[in-house]
Amino acid sequence: MSSPAIQSALAQMQSLATQAAGPQAKGQQVATAVGAGGFAGELQASIQRINRLQQASAAKAEAFQAGDPGVELNDLMVDMQKASVAFQMGVQVRNRLVTAYRDVMNMQV
C-alpha cells in the first residue's frame, strides 16, 4: 500500500468514526488533522471512540431495561447499531493491519 492510499484510508476511517459518534456537543472540537499524532495515536484514538460508543450503548440499554422514561427503544437500537458498525470497522482495520504485517514479514530482502 502506498502512502497516499494509507492517508486516504485513514481519512475515511476518521470520517466514519465521526459520523458514528453522532452530533457533537456545542463547543466540543474534533481533531481532523490526518497524521498530526501519528498512526499509533490515531489508531488508539479510534479504539477509544469505539469503546465509548459501546459503553454508551450498554448504559442506554441498562437504563431502558430499568424503565427510564427518557430512553426510547428506537434511540437504543440506533446507538447499538452505531456501536456494532464501529466495532466491525475496527475488526476490519485490525485484519488489514495483520495482513499488511504478514506481507511485510514475508518479503525477501
Side-chain angles (χ1 to χ4, degrees):
M1 247 182 147
S2 65
S3 180
I6 292 172
Q7 292 293 342
S8 173
L10 185 57
Q12 185 179 13
M13 287 178 4
Q14 287 178 335
S15 136
L16 290 172
T18 302
Q19 289 174 358
Q24 300 297 322
K26 188 175 185 178
Q28 184 178 8
Q29 295 180 354
V30 178
T32 57
V34 176
F39 183 76
E42 291 297 326
L43 185 61
Q44 183 176 10
S46 295
I47 291 170
Q48 289 173 349
R49 283 191 294 267
I50 292 169
N51 187 38
R52 282 194 303 269
L53 282 171
Q54 288 180 330
Q55 288 176 346
S57 86
K60 193 172 273 194
E62 287 179 18
F64 180 77
Q65 290 172 354
D68 186 355
V71 179
E72 299 292 330
L73 178 61
N74 58 340
D75 293 336
L76 170 63
M77 297 305 290
V78 168
D79 284 352
M80 290 177 73
Q81 284 300 313
K82 283 182 183 179
S84 175
V85 168
F87 180 75
Q88 290 301 320
M89 181 199 64
V91 168
Q92 291 301 319
V93 169
R94 185 226 33 204
N95 291 343
R96 296 279 174 108
L97 286 173
V98 169
T99 301
Y101 175 77
R102 286 183 183 155
D103 290 345
V104 169
M105 294 308 292
N106 288 331
M107 284 183 186
Q108 292 186 3
V109 184

